[in-house]
Amino acid sequence: MSYDVEKPDEQWRTELAPDEYAVLRQAATEPAFTGEYTDTKTEGVYSCRACGAELFTSDTKFESHCGWPSFYDPKESKAVELVEDRSHGMVRTEVRCARCGSHLGHVFAGEGYATPTDQRYCINSISLRLAPAED
């Protein structure tokens, strides 16, 4: 896949902290209930920590109690890329930033949450940066 933002691996390593690099570029997962945005109720826009693309809004964030920030829909459908993930002996749908290809988390459907889409975008806090809404 070709992305609007492409950088050599060495550049990503210098621009991102080691834990950010592990999640965003190597598809690691931050430990549950440790992320800075897990319980945040601040209104605003969540952007990709690697490239700044706007991905989610606080309007679609909900409490799933799963240990990571959860959203029921991206800001725009073209903001994220969905990729089949067969790692760890299961089939899941990985969520990546459509602008730079960075790993964000996974999306799950049919879990019974009372959301308009019946989806849970389970996203690593470390993949995001929140810009609070201006009052």
Side-chain angles (χ1 to χ4, degrees):
M1 177 80 185
S2 177
Y3 299 101
D4 290 343
V5 176
E6 291 191 4
K7 300 176 185 182
D9 190 56
E10 304 80 41
Q11 188 173 350
W12 285 120
R13 284 183 186 274
T14 61
E15 292 178 3
L16 301 169
D19 52 351
E20 294 170 346
Y21 179 83
V23 172
L24 289 158
R25 305 309 302 170
Q26 296 179 311
T29 301
E30 69 188 355
F33 301 102
T34 63
E36 115 182 73
Y37 302 126
T38 303
D39 298 316
T40 299
K41 294 183 180 19
T42 303
E43 292 183 13
V45 176
Y46 292 86
S47 299
C48 176
R49 192 172 293 244
C51 75
E54 293 185 352
L55 303 171
F56 300 95
T57 66
S58 57
D59 294 342
T60 63
K61 189 173 188 285
F62 70 101
E63 292 186 34
S64 66
H65 308 286
C66 70
W68 295 273
S70 296
F71 304 86
Y72 62 79
D73 215 9
K75 186 172 189 268
E76 296 178 18
S77 61
K78 293 181 181 179
V80 298
E81 173 186 29
L82 304 179
V83 180
E84 184 178 281
D85 176 3
R86 292 184 167 270
S87 65
H88 305 292
M90 60 184 112
V91 179
R92 300 179 291 173
T93 302
E94 179 185 9
V95 181
R96 294 183 188 166
C97 173
R99 186 168 177 234
C100 71
S102 289
H103 173 77
L104 304 171
H106 291 86
V107 62
F108 303 93
E111 296 179 315
Y113 289 103
T115 62
T117 63
D118 197 24
Q119 293 183 313
R120 176 174 58 96
Y121 284 80
C122 183
I123 306 298
N124 292 284
S125 286
I126 203 164
S127 296
L128 304 172
R129 185 163 278 127
L130 173 61
E134 296 180 19
D135 292 327

